[in-house]
Amino acid sequence: VEKFIGDSAGGGLVAGTLLKIVRAGNLRVPDGGILIYPVLYRDLKAPLASHLRFRNDFILPHQYREIYTNAYVRNSDPRDPLLSPLLAP
């Protein structure tokens, strides 16, 4: 039994990895994936309602989320489903 597990940004990495494995079509698909509070959407220019609602969160305010997201996404399209698995068809 093969499972991937990830928390927060790691949950987004698990979702993107599973998506890439499935898309490849020639790799064994793991038996499961466990995502704990995953980051599944990274487009800061088109924020989700929850991003706006918790913009001034005291644990992870928007300015830190922006720094971390920009470091992760770099020059890639943040709407790429491998970076934002929520957008996968």
Coordinates of all heavy atoms in Angstrom, one line a residue:
V1 N 0.9 -1.2 0.0 CA 0.0 0.0 0.0 C 0.9 1.2 0.0 O 1.7 1.4 0.9 CB -0.9 0.0 1.2 CG1 -1.7 1.3 1.3 CG2 -1.8 -1.2 1.2
E2 N 0.7 2.1 -1.0 CA 1.4 3.3 -1.1 C 0.5 4.5 -0.9 O -0.5 4.6 -1.5 CB 2.1 3.5 -2.5 CG 3.2 2.5 -2.7 CD 3.8 2.7 -4.1 OE1 3.3 3.6 -4.8 OE2 4.8 2.0 -4.4
K3 N 0.9 5.4 0.0 CA 0.1 6.6 0.3 C 1.1 7.8 0.4 O 2.2 7.6 0.8 CB -0.6 6.5 1.6 CG -1.7 5.4 1.6 CD -2.5 5.5 2.9 CE -3.4 4.3 2.9 NZ -3.1 3.3 3.9
F4 N 0.6 8.9 0.0 CA 1.3 10.2 0.1 C 0.5 10.9 1.2 O -0.7 10.9 1.2 CB 1.2 11.0 -1.2 CG 2.2 10.5 -2.2 CD1 1.9 9.5 -3.1 CD2 3.5 11.1 -2.3 CE1 2.7 9.1 -4.1 CE2 4.3 10.7 -3.3 CZ 4.0 9.7 -4.2
I5 N 1.2 11.6 2.0 CA 0.6 12.5 3.0 C 1.3 13.8 3.1 O 2.5 13.9 3.0 CB 0.5 11.8 4.4 CG1 -0.3 12.6 5.4 CG2 1.9 11.5 4.9 CD1 -0.6 11.9 6.7
G6 N 0.5 14.9 3.2 CA 1.1 16.2 3.3 C 0.2 17.2 4.1 O -1.0 17.1 4.0
D7 N 0.9 18.1 4.8 CA 0.2 19.1 5.6 C 0.5 20.5 5.1 O 1.6 20.8 4.7 CB 0.7 19.0 7.0 CG 0.1 20.0 8.0 OD1 -1.0 20.4 7.8 OD2 0.8 20.5 8.9
S8 N -0.6 21.3 4.9 CA -0.4 22.7 4.5 C 0.2 22.7 3.1 O -0.4 22.1 2.1 CB 0.4 23.5 5.5 OG 0.3 24.9 5.2
A9 N 1.3 23.4 2.9 CA 2.0 23.4 1.6 C 2.3 22.0 1.1 O 2.3 21.7 -0.1 CB 3.2 24.3 1.6
G10 N 2.7 21.2 2.0 CA 3.0 19.8 1.7 C 1.7 19.0 1.1 O 1.9 18.2 0.3
G11 N 0.6 19.4 1.6 CA -0.7 18.9 1.1 C -0.9 19.3 -0.4 O -1.3 18.5 -1.2
G12 N -0.5 20.5 -0.7 CA -0.5 20.9 -2.1 C 0.5 20.2 -3.0 O 0.2 19.9 -4.1
L13 N 1.6 19.9 -2.4 CA 2.6 19.2 -3.1 C 2.1 17.7 -3.4 O 2.3 17.2 -4.5 CB 4.0 19.1 -2.4 CG 4.7 20.4 -2.3 CD1 5.9 20.3 -1.3 CD2 5.2 20.8 -3.6
V14 N 1.5 17.1 -2.4 CA 0.9 15.8 -2.6 C -0.1 15.8 -3.7 O -0.1 15.0 -4.6 CB 0.3 15.3 -1.3 CG1 -0.5 14.0 -1.5 CG2 1.4 15.0 -0.3
A15 N -1.0 16.8 -3.7 CA -2.1 16.9 -4.7 C -1.5 17.1 -6.1 O -1.9 16.4 -7.0 CB -3.0 18.0 -4.4
G16 N -0.5 17.9 -6.2 CA 0.2 18.2 -7.5 C 0.9 16.9 -8.0 O 0.9 16.6 -9.2
T17 N 1.6 16.2 -7.1 CA 2.3 15.0 -7.4 C 1.3 13.9 -7.9 O 1.6 13.3 -8.9 CB 3.1 14.5 -6.2 OG1 4.0 15.5 -5.9 CG2 3.9 13.2 -6.6
L18 N 0.2 13.7 -7.2 CA -0.8 12.7 -7.6 C -1.3 13.1 -9.0 O -1.5 12.2 -9.8 CB -1.9 12.6 -6.6 CG -1.4 12.0 -5.2 CD1 -2.6 12.1 -4.2 CD2 -1.0 10.6 -5.4
L19 N -1.6 14.4 -9.2 CA -2.1 14.8 -10.5 C -1.1 14.5 -11.6 O -1.5 14.0 -12.7 CB -2.4 16.3 -10.4 CG -3.0 16.9 -11.7 CD1 -4.3 16.3 -12.1 CD2 -3.2 18.4 -11.5
K20 N 0.1 14.8 -11.4 CA 1.2 14.5 -12.4 C 1.3 13.0 -12.6 O 1.4 12.6 -13.8 CB 2.5 15.1 -11.9 CG 3.5 15.1 -13.0 CD 4.6 16.0 -12.7 CE 5.5 16.1 -14.0 NZ 6.3 17.3 -14.0
I21 N 1.2 12.2 -11.6 CA 1.3 10.7 -11.8 C 0.1 10.2 -12.6 O 0.3 9.4 -13.6 CB 1.3 10.0 -10.4 CG1 2.7 10.3 -9.7 CG2 1.1 8.5 -10.6 CD1 2.7 9.8 -8.3
V22 N -1.1 10.7 -12.3 CA -2.3 10.3 -13.1 C -2.1 10.7 -14.5 O -2.4 10.0 -15.5 CB -3.5 10.8 -12.4 CG1 -4.7 10.6 -13.3 CG2 -3.8 10.1 -11.1
R23 N -1.7 12.0 -14.7 CA -1.6 12.5 -16.1 C -0.5 11.7 -16.9 O -0.7 11.6 -18.1 CB -1.2 14.0 -16.1 CG -2.3 14.9 -15.7 CD -1.9 16.3 -15.8 NE -3.0 17.2 -15.6 CZ -2.8 18.5 -15.6 NH1 -1.6 19.1 -15.7 NH2 -3.9 19.3 -15.5
A24 N 0.5 11.3 -16.3 CA 1.6 10.5 -17.0 C 1.0 9.3 -17.7 O 1.4 8.9 -18.8 CB 2.7 10.2 -16.0
G25 N 0.1 8.6 -17.0 CA -0.6 7.5 -17.6 C 0.2 6.2 -17.6 O -0.3 5.1 -17.8
N26 N 1.5 6.2 -17.3 CA 2.3 5.0 -17.4 C 3.0 4.7 -16.0 O 3.9 3.9 -15.9 CB 3.4 5.1 -18.5 CG 4.3 6.3 -18.3 OD1 4.1 7.1 -17.4 ND2 5.4 6.3 -19.0
L27 N 2.5 5.4 -15.0 CA 3.1 5.2 -13.6 C 2.0 4.6 -12.7 O 0.8 4.8 -12.9 CB 3.5 6.5 -13.0 CG 4.6 7.3 -13.8 CD1 4.8 8.7 -13.2 CD2 5.9 6.5 -13.8
R28 N 2.5 3.8 -11.8 CA 1.6 3.2 -10.8 C 1.0 4.4 -9.9 O 1.7 5.1 -9.4 CB 2.3 2.2 -9.9 CG 1.3 1.5 -8.9 CD 2.1 0.6 -8.0 NE 1.2 0.0 -7.0 CZ 0.6 0.6 -6.0 NH1 0.8 1.9 -5.8 NH2 -0.2 0.0 -5.2
V29 N -0.3 4.4 -9.9 CA -1.0 5.4 -9.1 C -1.0 4.9 -7.6 O -1.4 3.8 -7.4 CB -2.4 5.7 -9.6 CG1 -3.2 6.7 -8.7 CG2 -2.4 6.2 -11.0
P30 N -0.6 5.8 -6.7 CA -0.6 5.4 -5.3 C -2.0 5.0 -4.8 O -3.0 5.4 -5.4 CB -0.1 6.6 -4.5 CG 0.7 7.4 -5.6 CD 0.0 7.1 -6.9
D31 N -2.1 4.3 -3.7 CA -3.4 3.8 -3.2 C -4.2 5.0 -2.6 O -5.4 4.8 -2.4 CB -3.2 2.7 -2.2 CG -2.5 1.5 -2.8 OD1 -2.9 1.1 -3.9 OD2 -1.5 1.0 -2.3
G32 N -3.5 6.0 -2.2 CA -4.2 7.1 -1.6 C -3.4 8.3 -1.3 O -2.1 8.3 -1.4
G33 N -4.0 9.4 -1.0 CA -3.4 10.6 -0.7 C -4.1 11.3 0.5 O -5.3 11.3 0.5
I34 N -3.4 11.7 1.5 CA -4.0 12.3 2.7 C -3.5 13.8 2.7 O -2.3 14.0 2.8 CB -3.6 11.6 4.0 CG1 -4.1 10.1 3.9 CG2 -4.2 12.3 5.2 CD1 -3.6 9.3 5.0
L35 N -4.4 14.7 2.5 CA -4.1 16.1 2.5 C -4.7 16.8 3.8 O -5.9 16.7 4.0 CB -4.8 16.8 1.3 CG -4.6 16.1 -0.1 CD1 -5.3 16.8 -1.2 CD2 -3.1 15.9 -0.4
I36 N -3.8 17.4 4.6 CA -4.2 18.0 5.8 C -4.1 19.5 5.6 O -3.0 20.0 5.4 CB -3.4 17.5 7.0 CG1 -3.5 16.0 7.1 CG2 -3.8 18.2 8.3 CD1 -2.4 15.4 8.0
Y37 N -5.2 20.2 5.6 CA -5.3 21.6 5.4 C -4.4 22.0 4.2 O -3.5 22.8 4.3 CB -4.9 22.4 6.6 CG -5.8 22.3 7.8 CD1 -5.4 21.5 8.9 CD2 -7.1 22.8 7.8 CE1 -6.3 21.3 9.9 CE2 -7.9 22.7 8.8 CZ -7.6 21.9 9.9 OH -8.4 21.7 10.9
P38 N -4.6 21.5 3.0 CA -3.7 21.7 1.9 C -3.9 23.1 1.3 O -4.9 23.7 1.3 CB -4.2 20.6 0.9 CG -5.6 20.4 1.2 CD -5.7 20.6 2.7
V39 N -2.8 23.5 0.7 CA -2.8 24.7 -0.1 C -3.0 24.3 -1.5 O -2.2 23.6 -2.1 CB -1.4 25.5 0.0 CG1 -1.5 26.7 -0.9 CG2 -1.2 25.9 1.4
L40 N -4.2 24.6 -2.1 CA -4.6 24.0 -3.4 C -4.8 25.1 -4.4 O -5.2 24.8 -5.6 CB -5.9 23.2 -3.2 CG -5.8 22.0 -2.3 CD1 -7.2 21.3 -2.2 CD2 -4.8 21.0 -2.8
Y41 N -4.6 26.4 -4.0 CA -4.8 27.5 -4.9 C -3.8 28.6 -4.7 O -3.6 29.0 -3.5 CB -6.3 28.0 -4.7 CG -6.7 29.1 -5.7 CD1 -7.1 28.8 -6.9 CD2 -6.6 30.4 -5.3 CE1 -7.5 29.8 -7.8 CE2 -7.0 31.5 -6.1 CZ -7.5 31.1 -7.4 OH -7.8 32.2 -8.2
R42 N -3.1 29.0 -5.7 CA -2.0 29.9 -5.5 C -2.1 31.2 -6.3 O -1.1 32.0 -6.4 CB -0.7 29.2 -5.8 CG -0.5 28.0 -5.0 CD 0.9 27.5 -5.1 NE 1.1 26.3 -4.3 CZ 1.5 26.2 -3.1 NH1 1.7 27.3 -2.4 NH2 1.6 25.1 -2.5
D43 N -3.2 31.5 -6.9 CA -3.3 32.8 -7.7 C -3.7 33.9 -6.8 O -4.9 34.1 -6.5 CB -4.3 32.6 -8.8 CG -4.3 33.7 -9.8 OD1 -3.6 34.7 -9.6 OD2 -5.0 33.7 -10.8
L44 N -2.7 34.7 -6.4 CA -3.0 35.9 -5.5 C -3.7 37.0 -6.2 O -4.2 37.9 -5.6 CB -1.7 36.4 -4.9 CG -0.9 35.4 -4.0 CD1 0.4 35.9 -3.6 CD2 -1.8 35.0 -2.8
K45 N -3.7 37.0 -7.6 CA -4.3 38.1 -8.3 C -5.8 37.9 -8.4 O -6.6 38.8 -8.7 CB -3.7 38.2 -9.7 CG -2.3 38.7 -9.6 CD -1.7 38.9 -11.0 CE -0.3 39.4 -10.9 NZ 0.4 39.4 -12.1
A46 N -6.3 36.7 -8.2 CA -7.7 36.3 -8.2 C -8.0 35.5 -6.9 O -8.2 34.3 -6.9 CB -8.1 35.5 -9.4
P47 N -8.0 36.2 -5.7 CA -8.1 35.5 -4.5 C -9.5 34.9 -4.3 O -10.5 35.4 -4.8 CB -7.9 36.6 -3.4 CG -8.2 37.9 -4.1 CD -7.9 37.6 -5.6
L48 N -9.5 33.8 -3.6 CA -10.7 33.1 -3.2 C -11.4 33.9 -2.0 O -10.7 34.7 -1.4 CB -10.4 31.7 -2.8 CG -9.8 30.7 -3.8 CD1 -9.4 29.4 -3.2 CD2 -10.7 30.6 -5.0
A49 N -12.6 33.6 -1.8 CA -13.4 34.2 -0.7 C -12.7 34.0 0.6 O -12.6 35.0 1.5 CB -14.8 33.7 -0.6
S50 N -12.1 32.8 0.9 CA -11.5 32.6 2.1 C -10.2 33.4 2.3 O -9.8 33.8 3.4 CB -11.2 31.1 2.3 OG -10.3 30.6 1.3
H51 N -9.5 33.6 1.2 CA -8.3 34.5 1.2 C -8.6 35.9 1.6 O -7.9 36.5 2.4 CB -7.6 34.5 -0.2 CG -7.0 33.2 -0.6 ND1 -6.7 32.9 -1.9 CD2 -6.7 32.1 0.1 CE1 -6.2 31.7 -1.9 NE2 -6.2 31.2 -0.7
L52 N -9.7 36.4 1.1 CA -10.2 37.8 1.5 C -10.7 37.8 2.9 O -10.3 38.7 3.7 CB -11.3 38.2 0.5 CG -10.9 38.3 -0.9 CD1 -12.1 38.7 -1.8 CD2 -9.8 39.4 -1.1
R53 N -11.4 36.8 3.3 CA -11.9 36.8 4.7 C -10.8 36.7 5.7 O -10.9 37.3 6.8 CB -12.9 35.6 4.8 CG -13.5 35.5 6.2 CD -14.5 34.4 6.3 NE -15.1 34.4 7.6 CZ -15.7 33.4 8.1 NH1 -16.0 32.4 7.4 NH2 -16.2 33.5 9.3
F54 N -9.8 36.0 5.5 CA -8.7 35.8 6.4 C -7.4 36.5 6.1 O -6.3 36.2 6.5 CB -8.4 34.3 6.6 CG -9.6 33.5 7.2 CD1 -10.3 32.7 6.4 CD2 -10.0 33.7 8.5 CE1 -11.4 32.0 6.9 CE2 -11.1 33.0 9.0 CZ -11.8 32.2 8.2
R55 N -7.6 37.6 5.3 CA -6.5 38.4 4.8 C -5.6 38.9 6.0 O -4.4 38.9 5.8 CB -7.0 39.6 4.0 CG -6.0 40.4 3.4 CD -6.6 41.5 2.5 NE -5.6 42.3 1.9 CZ -4.9 42.0 0.8 NH1 -5.1 40.9 0.2 NH2 -3.9 42.8 0.3
N56 N -6.2 39.3 7.1 CA -5.5 39.8 8.2 C -5.3 38.8 9.3 O -5.2 39.2 10.5 CB -6.1 41.1 8.7 CG -6.1 42.2 7.7 OD1 -5.1 42.4 7.0 ND2 -7.2 42.8 7.5
D57 N -5.3 37.5 9.0 CA -5.1 36.5 10.0 C -3.8 36.7 10.8 O -2.8 37.1 10.2 CB -5.0 35.1 9.2 CG -4.9 34.0 10.2 OD1 -5.9 33.6 10.8 OD2 -3.8 33.4 10.3
F58 N -3.9 36.5 12.1 CA -2.8 36.8 12.9 C -1.7 35.7 12.8 O -0.5 36.0 13.2 CB -3.2 37.0 14.4 CG -3.7 35.8 15.1 CD1 -2.9 35.0 15.8 CD2 -5.1 35.5 14.9 CE1 -3.4 33.9 16.5 CE2 -5.6 34.3 15.5 CZ -4.8 33.5 16.3
I59 N -2.0 34.5 12.4 CA -1.0 33.5 12.3 C -0.3 33.6 10.9 O 1.0 33.5 10.8 CB -1.6 32.1 12.4 CG1 -2.1 31.9 13.9 CG2 -0.6 31.0 12.1 CD1 -2.8 30.7 14.1
L60 N -1.0 33.8 9.8 CA -0.4 33.9 8.5 C -1.1 35.0 7.7 O -2.0 34.8 6.9 CB -0.6 32.6 7.8 CG 0.1 32.5 6.4 CD1 1.6 32.7 6.5 CD2 -0.2 31.1 5.7
P61 N -0.7 36.2 8.0 CA -1.3 37.4 7.3 C -0.9 37.4 5.8 O 0.0 36.7 5.4 CB -0.7 38.6 8.0 CG 0.5 38.1 8.7 CD 0.3 36.7 9.0
H62 N -1.7 38.1 5.0 CA -1.6 38.1 3.6 C -0.1 38.4 3.1 O 0.3 37.7 2.2 CB -2.5 39.1 3.0 CG -2.4 39.3 1.5 ND1 -2.8 38.3 0.6 CD2 -1.8 40.2 0.7 CE1 -2.5 38.7 -0.6 NE2 -1.9 39.8 -0.6
Q63 N 0.6 39.3 3.7 CA 1.9 39.7 3.3 C 2.8 38.5 3.3 O 3.7 38.3 2.5 CB 2.5 40.9 4.0 CG 2.6 40.8 5.4 CD 1.4 41.4 6.2 OE1 0.3 41.3 5.7 NE2 1.6 42.0 7.3
Y64 N 2.7 37.6 4.4 CA 3.6 36.4 4.4 C 3.1 35.4 3.4 O 4.0 34.8 2.8 CB 3.5 35.8 5.9 CG 4.2 36.7 6.9 CD1 3.5 37.2 7.9 CD2 5.6 37.0 6.7 CE1 4.2 38.1 8.9 CE2 6.2 37.8 7.7 CZ 5.5 38.3 8.7 OH 6.2 39.1 9.6
R65 N 1.8 35.2 3.3 CA 1.3 34.3 2.3 C 1.8 34.7 0.9 O 2.1 33.9 0.1 CB -0.2 34.2 2.4 CG -0.8 33.0 1.6 CD -2.2 32.8 1.8 NE -3.1 33.9 1.4 CZ -3.8 34.6 2.3 NH1 -3.8 34.4 3.6 NH2 -4.6 35.6 1.8
E66 N 1.8 36.0 0.6 CA 2.3 36.5 -0.6 C 3.8 36.2 -0.8 O 4.2 35.7 -1.9 CB 2.1 38.0 -0.7 CG 2.3 38.6 -2.1 CD 1.9 40.1 -2.2 OE1 1.0 40.5 -1.5 OE2 2.6 40.8 -3.0
I67 N 4.6 36.4 0.2 CA 6.0 36.1 0.1 C 6.2 34.6 -0.2 O 7.0 34.2 -1.1 CB 6.8 36.5 1.4 CG1 6.8 38.0 1.5 CG2 8.2 35.9 1.4 CD1 7.2 38.5 2.9
Y68 N 5.6 33.7 0.5 CA 5.7 32.3 0.4 C 5.2 31.8 -1.0 O 5.9 31.0 -1.6 CB 5.0 31.5 1.5 CG 5.5 31.9 2.9 CD1 4.6 31.9 3.9 CD2 6.8 32.2 3.2 CE1 5.0 32.3 5.2 CE2 7.2 32.6 4.4 CZ 6.3 32.6 5.5 OH 6.7 32.9 6.7
T69 N 4.1 32.4 -1.4 CA 3.5 32.0 -2.7 C 4.4 32.4 -3.8 O 4.7 31.6 -4.7 CB 2.1 32.5 -2.9 OG1 1.3 32.0 -1.9 CG2 1.5 32.2 -4.2
N70 N 4.9 33.6 -3.8 CA 5.8 34.1 -4.9 C 7.1 33.3 -4.9 O 7.6 33.0 -6.0 CB 6.1 35.6 -4.7 CG 4.9 36.4 -5.0 OD1 4.0 36.0 -5.8 ND2 4.8 37.6 -4.4
A71 N 7.6 32.9 -3.8 CA 8.9 32.1 -3.7 C 8.6 30.7 -4.3 O 9.5 30.2 -5.0 CB 9.4 32.0 -2.3
Y72 N 7.4 30.2 -4.1 CA 7.1 28.8 -4.6 C 6.8 28.9 -6.1 O 7.3 28.1 -6.9 CB 5.9 28.3 -3.8 CG 5.6 26.9 -4.3 CD1 6.4 25.8 -3.9 CD2 4.4 26.6 -5.0 CE1 6.0 24.5 -4.3 CE2 4.0 25.3 -5.4 CZ 4.8 24.3 -5.0 OH 4.5 23.0 -5.4
V73 N 6.0 29.8 -6.5 CA 5.5 29.9 -7.9 C 6.6 30.4 -8.9 O 6.7 30.0 -10.0 CB 4.2 30.8 -8.0 CG1 3.8 31.0 -9.4 CG2 3.1 30.1 -7.3
R74 N 7.4 31.4 -8.4 CA 8.4 32.0 -9.2 C 7.8 32.6 -10.5 O 6.9 33.4 -10.5 CB 9.6 31.1 -9.4 CG 10.2 30.8 -8.1 CD 11.6 30.3 -8.3 NE 12.3 30.5 -7.1 CZ 13.6 31.0 -7.1 NH1 14.2 31.3 -8.2 NH2 14.2 31.2 -5.9
N75 N 8.3 32.1 -11.6 CA 7.9 32.6 -12.9 C 6.8 31.8 -13.6 O 6.5 32.0 -14.7 CB 9.1 32.8 -13.9 CG 10.1 33.8 -13.3 OD1 9.7 34.8 -12.8 ND2 11.4 33.6 -13.5
S76 N 6.3 30.8 -12.9 CA 5.3 29.9 -13.4 C 4.0 30.5 -13.3 O 3.7 31.5 -12.6 CB 5.3 28.6 -12.7 OG 6.6 28.0 -12.8
D77 N 3.0 30.0 -14.0 CA 1.6 30.4 -14.0 C 1.0 29.9 -12.7 O 0.9 28.6 -12.6 CB 0.9 29.9 -15.2 CG -0.6 30.3 -15.3 OD1 -1.0 31.0 -14.3 OD2 -1.3 29.9 -16.2
P78 N 0.5 30.7 -11.8 CA 0.0 30.2 -10.6 C -1.3 29.4 -10.8 O -1.8 28.8 -9.9 CB -0.3 31.5 -9.7 CG -0.3 32.6 -10.7 CD 0.5 32.2 -11.9
R79 N -1.9 29.6 -12.0 CA -3.1 28.8 -12.3 C -2.9 27.5 -12.9 O -3.8 26.7 -13.2 CB -4.0 29.7 -13.2 CG -4.4 31.0 -12.5 CD -5.4 31.8 -13.3 NE -6.7 31.2 -13.5 CZ -7.7 31.1 -12.6 NH1 -7.5 31.7 -11.4 NH2 -8.8 30.6 -12.9
D80 N -1.6 27.1 -13.1 CA -1.2 25.8 -13.5 C -1.8 24.8 -12.5 O -1.5 24.9 -11.3 CB 0.3 25.7 -13.7 CG 0.8 24.3 -14.1 OD1 0.0 23.3 -13.9 OD2 1.9 24.2 -14.6
P81 N -2.5 23.8 -12.9 CA -3.1 22.8 -12.0 C -2.1 22.1 -11.1 O -2.4 21.6 -10.0 CB -3.9 21.9 -12.8 CG -4.3 22.7 -14.0 CD -3.1 23.6 -14.2
L82 N -0.8 22.0 -11.6 CA 0.2 21.4 -10.8 C 0.6 22.2 -9.6 O 1.0 21.7 -8.5 CB 1.4 21.0 -11.6 CG 1.2 20.0 -12.7 CD1 2.5 19.8 -13.5 CD2 0.7 18.7 -12.1
L83 N 0.4 23.5 -9.7 CA 0.6 24.5 -8.6 C -0.7 24.8 -7.8 O -0.6 25.0 -6.6 CB 1.2 25.8 -9.1 CG 2.6 25.7 -9.8 CD1 3.0 27.0 -10.4 CD2 3.6 25.3 -8.8
S84 N -1.8 24.8 -8.6 CA -3.1 25.1 -8.0 C -4.0 23.9 -8.3 O -4.9 24.0 -9.2 CB -3.7 26.4 -8.5 OG -2.9 27.5 -8.1
P85 N -3.9 22.8 -7.7 CA -4.6 21.6 -8.0 C -6.2 21.7 -8.0 O -6.9 21.0 -8.6 CB -4.2 20.5 -7.0 CG -2.8 21.0 -6.5 CD -2.9 22.5 -6.6
L86 N -6.6 22.7 -7.2 CA -8.0 23.0 -7.2 C -8.6 23.3 -8.6 O -9.8 23.1 -8.9 CB -8.3 24.2 -6.3 CG -9.7 24.6 -5.9 CD1 -10.4 23.5 -5.1 CD2 -9.8 25.9 -5.2
L87 N -7.7 23.8 -9.5 CA -8.1 24.2 -10.8 C -8.0 23.0 -11.8 O -8.3 23.2 -13.0 CB -7.3 25.4 -11.3 CG -7.4 26.6 -10.5 CD1 -6.4 27.7 -11.0 CD2 -8.8 27.1 -10.4
A88 N -7.6 21.9 -11.4 CA -7.5 20.7 -12.3 C -8.9 20.3 -12.8 O -9.8 20.3 -12.1 CB -6.8 19.5 -11.6
P89 N -8.9 19.9 -14.1 CA -10.2 19.5 -14.7 C -10.6 18.1 -14.1 O -9.9 17.4 -13.6 CB -10.0 19.4 -16.2 CG -8.5 19.5 -16.4 CD -7.9 20.0 -15.1

